[in-house]
Amino acid sequence: MNIILLGPPGAGKGTQAHFLVEDRGMIQLSTGDMLREAKDSGTEMGKKVAEVMARGDLVTDDIVIGLIREKLEGENASGFIFDGFPRTLAQADALDTLLSETGETLDAVIEMRVDDEALVSRITARSTCGGCGEVYNDITKPWPEDGKCANCGSTDIKRRADDNEESLRQRLMEYYKKTSPLIGYYYAKGKLRSVDGLGEIDEVKAAIADALA
Ligand code: ADP
Ligand code: ZN
């Protein structure tokens, strides 16, 4: 089964993708994570994308399609979760082509709905653990008093360069202009399943399981 998680920044795609990996052994392909890795590696491409990402703009289609192509060719397992890809109609077309080349199909597109007000407060309060990737929130799930991650004990509190109000506004703008048309596109293809992304993490997880059943 191959699925896409679609939704605005902060909708919880990464959190839910982790569950699908743990529970179903699927493979998560997050273009955001791939681009952050490229950025940290200090290559020319990495330096170029770092600025674009920090502003909240989209990276060019060529770059992200190239990254996805590499991964799809490298893995022969079935069961991909596309997280943060496609983000434009051109990327959606490229994904169609890539999947058909490998004889794979796209089974479902899960749209995670969250209102804008909630996105802003989720994202500006977000931090993650540099040790294990656990996601924290200053209001709903603050770091333990001793500053050590409850999961792995690391004290490496990371905040993303683009998790500030200005970049977030730009990311939302990009989402509405370029990515949200994909909702109609996949609806017309009969692939779209919409879930309420505002509930508790477990409720959202259950809603996704229902949508995939
Ligand atoms: P979020 O969903 O929280 O905005 P991601 O980690 O998915 O975060 O993406 C972070 C940034 O990486 C985006 O704002 C964009 O600059 C870049 N990016 C990720 N995926 C894509 C993509 N498919 N196409 C273009 N840019 C992308
Ligand atoms: Zn940790």
Side-chain angles (χ1 to χ4, degrees), residues 138-153:
D138 299 338
I139 295 140
T140 58
K141 187 184 167 188
W143 276 76
E145 296 262 314
D146 63 2
K148 287 188 184 147
C149 173
N151 194 35
C152 76

Side-chain angles (χ1 to χ4, degrees), residues 7-10 13 30-33 35-36 52-53 56-61 64 83-88 91 123 126 160 162-163 171:
K13 302 183 293 283
S30 158
T31 42
D33 287 348
L35 290 167
R36 276 183 290 277
V52 176
M53 290 173 76
D57 289 334
L58 289 186
V59 172
T60 61
D61 288 337
V64 289
D83 162 10
F85 178 91
R87 262 177 155 94
T88 63
Q91 292 177 22
I123 286 198
R126 172 164 78 176
R160 274 170 47 173
D162 58 350
D163 276 354
R171 282 154 69 198

Side-chain angles (χ1 to χ4, degrees), residues 116-189:
D116 296 343
E117 209 62 42
L119 296 175
V120 176
S121 59
R122 274 190 190 184
I123 286 198
T124 52
R126 172 164 78 176
S127 64
T128 54
C129 170
C132 69
E134 185 79 2
V135 181
Y136 288 90
N137 179 293
D138 299 338
I139 295 140
T140 58
K141 187 184 167 188
W143 276 76
E145 296 262 314
D146 63 2
K148 287 188 184 147
C149 173
N151 194 35
C152 76
S154 166
T155 53
D156 184 13
I157 302 177
K158 282 201 149 63
R159 287 189 196 266
R160 274 170 47 173
D162 58 350
D163 276 354
N164 59 74
E165 265 201 78
E166 195 183 90
S167 302
L168 175 59
R169 209 161 305 160
Q170 182 60 18
R171 282 154 69 198
L172 272 178
M173 194 73 81
E174 291 283 78
Y175 178 76
Y176 286 115
K177 279 201 297 197
K178 297 174 184 166
T179 309
S180 66
L182 295 178
I183 296 169
Y185 174 82
Y186 286 119
Y187 174 78
K189 281 179 166 266

